[in-house]
Amino acid sequence: QVQLVESGGGLVQAGGSLRLSCVASTRSFSVYNMGWFRQAPGKEREFVAAIRWNGDSTTYADSVKGRCTISRDNVKNTVYLQMNSLKPEDTANYLCAADVRFSTLRTTTQGYDYWGQGTQVTVSS
């Protein structure tokens, strides 16, 4: 089974920045599309960003376009989410996910096979 471990969350003020990291245990990381999702209390898990296996394609939710950048380092088996200009509505548990099948980038939870436990991001106003 693939283990994903997120880190980098914390408490920041509105307008601040954070960089989240997700380290994968599998050596097959370099052939997986990866995604970032977030889930706030009382809300469904929502898509944030995704990146193709080789890093040459990305896609973002409208709510974070222009403020977030997803990237990856296949040597380190790590995917990153750089978040800038954070807003209180960005407050959520942020999770990374791996899509083990060769596919187009997916923007819903459906199709992602492995999930991390998440890292909490709290943005104060």
Side-chain angles (χ1 to χ4, degrees):
Q1 185 171 209
V2 176
Q3 182 177 353
L4 303 173
V5 180
E6 303 94 336
S7 63
L11 175 64
V12 298
Q13 64 181 163
S17 299
L18 285 173
R19 189 178 75 157
L20 309 182
S21 299
C22 174
V23 180
S25 63
T26 179
R27 293 182 177 179
S28 298
F29 173 82
S30 61
V31 298
Y32 294 166
N33 293 344
M34 298 293 295
W36 281 100
F37 294 77
R38 65 187 182 186
Q39 188 165 23
K43 295 186 177 181
E44 295 185 354
R45 190 168 297 178
E46 67 173 333
F47 170 77
V48 177
I51 187 168
R52 195 166 178 258
W53 62 274
N54 63 358
D56 67 354
S57 181
T58 60
T59 189
Y60 299 89
D62 289 341
S63 59
V64 302
K65 285 182 179 178
R67 300 189 297 119
C68 293
T69 302
I70 188 171
S71 61
R72 68 191 298 159
D73 185 336
N74 286 350
V75 174
K76 297 180 179 180
N77 286 355
T78 302
V79 62
Y80 304 94
L81 183 68
Q82 177 69 45
M83 303 190 294
N84 303 318
S85 301
L86 285 165
K87 306 173 182 179
E89 50 263 46
D90 294 320
T91 296
N93 187 40
Y94 283 71
L95 308 96
C96 68
D99 180 358
V100 303
R101 289 181 172 269
F102 186 78
S103 68
T104 57
L105 293 178
R106 304 183 186 193
T107 58
T108 67
T109 58
Q110 182 179 350
Y112 285 91
D113 303 279
Y114 299 100
W115 296 82
Q117 291 294 311
T119 184
Q120 180 67 35
V121 171
T122 302
V123 184
S124 63
S125 60

